[in-house]
Amino acid sequence: MEASTALSRIGLAGLAVMGQNLALNIAEKGFPISVYNRTTSKIDETLDRAKQEGNLSLTSHYSPRDFVLSLQRPRSVIILVKAGSPVDHTISALSEFMDSGDSIIDGGNEWYENTERRIREVSDKGILYLGMGVSGGEEGARYGPSLMPGGSYQAYLDIEEIMKKVAAQVEDGPCVTYIGEGGSGNFVKMVHNGIEYGDMQLISEAYDVLKVAGGLSNSELADIFAEWNKGELESFLIEITADIFKVKDEHGEGELVDKILDKTGMKGTGKWTVQQAAELSVAAPTIAASLDCRYLSGLKEEREAAAEVLKGAGMKEEVGGMRSGVDKKRLIDDVRQALYASKICSYAQGMNLLRAKSVEKDWNLNFGELARIWKGGCIIRAVFLDRIKKAYQRNPQLASLIVDPDFAREMVQRQAAWRRVVGLAISSGISTPGMCASLAYFDTYRRARLPANLVQAQRDLFGAHTYERIDRPGSFHTEWTKLARQSKAGVDALN
């Protein structure tokens, strides 16, 4: 098990939970691997786990030099350290001993422009570079993640055989594909996380409506989500939600979910997604609403104070009265349909953001293939993604998932239920910003004519920004105020 003369097929530096699990996954798939970490206790811990899990072919190295020299050439090194400057430090420590044609693969959640900078920096030494999104959490890393490598195609080819074995396996292949050039792998992982924010928000709203307006207990909710997981909503997030409702509180009565503080944490990828959407002028209201909700959830003390102030001002809870007249069975089915339709809009926004970036950077992303590699291993894995894959196979130039014939039909079939749920929530005072954002997105996108004509008139009046007409070509400017006064004077004269 200790460093031997036989060279390893691949190396992995950075042995926190994700790194350890990915290293064990690689070793278990039959690829001898060298591991390295700055703090040696993590190396020993990884070695112990490799022994416990069946004497896996994993060797430990305690200096960057020994680690790099233990690899067969061309060398491929995966680094899994905290994004930002730790990545730069690790690259500089390892690249000192690397040769032209060797590759570095960063598996962290890195900002895509940092990856593009590093590609340029290491290319001076002839080193190849990949920024590889890894999704699926620690479980995915150990037993099969979804992998999104972007950057040097040659670097990908050098590890393709390993990654295809290590990735989650679905019926149409392993959940890995070469994404594209530059920082495309990181960008795709970032948008994946933005979509994940939207999914989690929409599920929490479905829970809120069923619990507050429907009066459902946790055990009923567990059954409902388990049932939903057998149909069109079948997915990792729906499955784990059903499990969450079943867990009892070991420190008191009832279920643990009710004892959890309602403040959401975040790592930053959701925020980046919304910022990029704004930069690229792509509407992503469902993802933005989910981010806003995380911010508002953080204001726990302010929300508690606001509840008191508004109660004192005469605010009454509408919910109790609503609940007595609610048809539970119908509400459950309506919420299922509202959740599905809202999800279509959220994924449409994510895919449109990817398309806009792909055009800007000339990445030539394959959206059907992205949907396919998200079908397993990752947090947003869902049966639904196979439908998205097929939509892009039918039409690679699809403007939006909403206009795919199959999805369009489903949206139309579900819109009555969707509107009932949003209407009930609004009248009950239950906030459903994700579902509302999705519905507003759908209602705006499907309208051939919007009230933007009035906004253009206003912009022309106060800033001479000009406008176009629907009946003749060219740009126009009107002296709105002068003409309005003239017509008023004309009317006054008649009177």
Side-chain angles (χ1 to χ4, degrees):
M1 287 282 293
E2 289 306 316
S4 61
T5 49
L7 295 177
S8 294
R9 176 77 173 77
I10 192 166
L12 191 146
L15 297 171
V17 177
M18 287 290 283
Q20 278 189 29
N21 283 351
L22 192 61
L24 294 169
N25 184 349
I26 291 169
E28 187 184 55
K29 298 300 187 298
F31 300 102
I33 183 170
S34 296
V35 298
Y36 165 74
N37 194 73
R38 252 187 4 178
T39 41
T40 55
S41 59
K42 291 282 183 202
I43 304 177
D44 299 334
E45 204 178 290
T46 310
L47 264 179
D48 288 344
R49 282 186 65 189
K51 282 178 183 149
Q52 285 162 14
E53 297 191 18
N55 226 16
L56 300 175
S57 169
L58 184 143
T59 57
S60 57
H61 303 274
Y62 295 86
S63 76
R65 184 178 179 276
D66 290 351
F67 169 64
V68 172
L69 297 182
S70 74
L71 305 174
Q72 64 183 52
R73 299 173 63 177
R75 305 181 185 97
S76 297
V77 176
I78 297 172
I79 55 178
L80 269 166
V81 297
K82 200 166 182 282
S85 60
V87 178
D88 292 306
H89 294 315
T90 308
I91 291 169
S92 104
L94 299 177
S95 62
E96 202 181 320
F97 309 103
M98 295 175 78
D99 299 310
S100 182
D102 292 352
S103 306
I104 293 173
I105 301 105
D106 174 19
N109 267 342
E110 188 55 273
W111 173 238
Y112 83 100
E113 287 179 334
N114 285 343
T115 293
E116 298 194 333
R117 166 176 61 79
R118 291 173 186 138
I119 289 172
R120 292 191 296 273
E121 287 169 356
V122 299
S123 69
D124 295 345
K125 288 192 69 170
I127 295 172
L128 312 177
Y129 198 90
L130 281 176
M132 181 170 73
V134 179
S135 180
E138 50 191 271
E139 184 89 354
R142 180 63 188 84
Y143 300 107
S146 175
L147 300 169
M148 298 155 243
S152 160
Y153 186 52
Q154 185 55 51
Y156 172 68
L157 290 178
D158 291 344
I159 59 163
E160 183 177 44
E161 180 198 8
I162 302 175
M163 294 303 124
K164 283 188 162 174
K165 288 254 173 50
V166 163
Q169 308 291 318
V170 290
E171 78 286 348
D172 47 7
C175 293
V176 60
T177 191
Y178 174 69
I179 300 289
E181 308 219 326
S184 60
N186 296 115
F187 195 90
V188 165
K189 173 63 167 48
M190 176 198 81
V191 174
H192 161 287
N193 287 25
I195 292 171
E196 183 186 305
Y197 273 52
D199 266 359
M200 292 167 78
Q201 176 63 29
L202 292 169
I203 291 169
S204 75
E205 292 173 16
Y207 153 65
D208 203 17
V209 171
L210 291 173
K211 182 184 177 197
V212 178
L216 275 73
S217 67
N218 288 327
S219 71
E220 286 175 304
L221 288 163
D223 291 343
I224 288 160
F225 277 86
E227 188 58 37
W228 284 358
N229 199 45
K230 293 176 189 162
E232 63 191 11
L233 287 170
E234 185 189 326
S235 60
F236 173 68
L237 285 169
I238 295 287
E239 180 189 335
I240 65 168
T241 302
D243 288 342
I244 286 166
F245 291 125
K246 293 176 191 158
V247 176
K248 299 277 179 223
D249 179 19
E250 53 192 16
H251 299 294
E253 293 295 305
E255 286 78 28
L256 178 58
V257 69
D258 296 325
K259 309 286 168 59
I260 295 176
L261 182 68
D262 50 320
K263 278 171 80 164
T264 317
M266 66 190 94
K267 289 281 176 66
T269 42
K271 182 179 184 177
W272 291 348
T273 304
V274 174
Q275 286 171 331
Q276 278 297 297
E279 290 278 329
L280 291 158
S281 307
V282 172
T286 313
I287 299 170
S290 67
L291 184 68
D292 288 340
C293 275
R294 291 197 182 194
Y295 293 147
L296 284 165
S297 78
L299 306 177
K300 175 69 172 169
E301 295 76 15
E302 282 185 41
R303 288 187 286 114
E304 286 176 334
E308 286 304 311
V309 170
L310 291 163
K311 199 167 155 191
M315 184 89 188
K316 287 187 176 62
E317 287 291 334
E318 298 293 334
V319 171
M322 298 294 305
R323 195 182 289 170
S324 54
V326 165
D327 174 344
K328 267 194 193 185
K329 199 161 182 297
R330 181 173 163 185
L331 179 65
I332 292 163
D333 195 56
D334 279 357
V335 171
R336 175 184 60 78
Q337 295 187 61
L339 179 54
Y340 187 79
S342 298
K343 259 173 77 95
I344 294 173
C345 290
S346 184
Y347 281 68
Q349 293 160 29
M351 289 302 194
N352 288 352
L353 175 53
L354 287 171
R355 191 182 58 214
K357 196 69 179 180
S358 182
V359 169
E360 182 198 78
K361 303 288 283 184
D362 208 17
W363 282 338
N364 202 17
L365 297 179
N366 179 335
F367 307 110
E369 186 66 353
L370 295 184
R372 186 193 69 74
I373 66 166
W374 290 344
K375 279 166 56 180
C378 70
I379 305 300
I380 65 171
R381 62 183 181 265
V383 168
F384 171 74
L385 282 152
D386 197 54
R387 316 274 313 284
I388 295 179
K389 180 192 87 168
K390 288 181 173 136
Y392 283 108
Q393 281 176 337
R394 280 193 292 274
N395 178 7
Q397 305 308 314
L398 188 65
S400 170
L401 288 176
I402 292 170
V403 295
D404 169 73
D406 279 13
F407 282 127
R409 196 162 44 248
E410 292 187 335
M411 302 289 279
V412 172
Q413 285 165 353
R414 286 161 181 71
Q415 64 161 341
W418 194 8
R419 293 178 197 286
R420 281 196 296 272
V421 170
V422 168
L424 172 70
I426 289 170
S427 57
S428 309
I430 303 167
S431 57
T432 51
M435 286 184 183
C436 287
S438 281
L439 183 56
Y441 180 77
F442 174 70
D443 280 337
T444 306
Y445 191 70
R446 70 181 176 79
R447 286 184 67 190
R449 184 161 172 83
L450 292 170
N453 53 321
L454 179 60
V455 176
Q456 282 300 84
Q458 292 169 334
R459 292 178 72 242
D460 189 49
L461 184 151
F462 64 66
H465 292 295
T466 74
Y467 57 88
E468 293 173 86
R469 290 180 59 110
I470 55 175
D471 55 356
R472 59 189 63 185
S475 289
F476 298 89
H477 169 59
T478 296
E479 296 289 336
W480 297 90
T481 311
K482 196 165 99 187
L483 291 173
R485 286 189 183 133
Q486 279 173 8
S487 80
K488 182 181 184 297
V491 172
D492 288 348
L494 286 173
N495 292 338

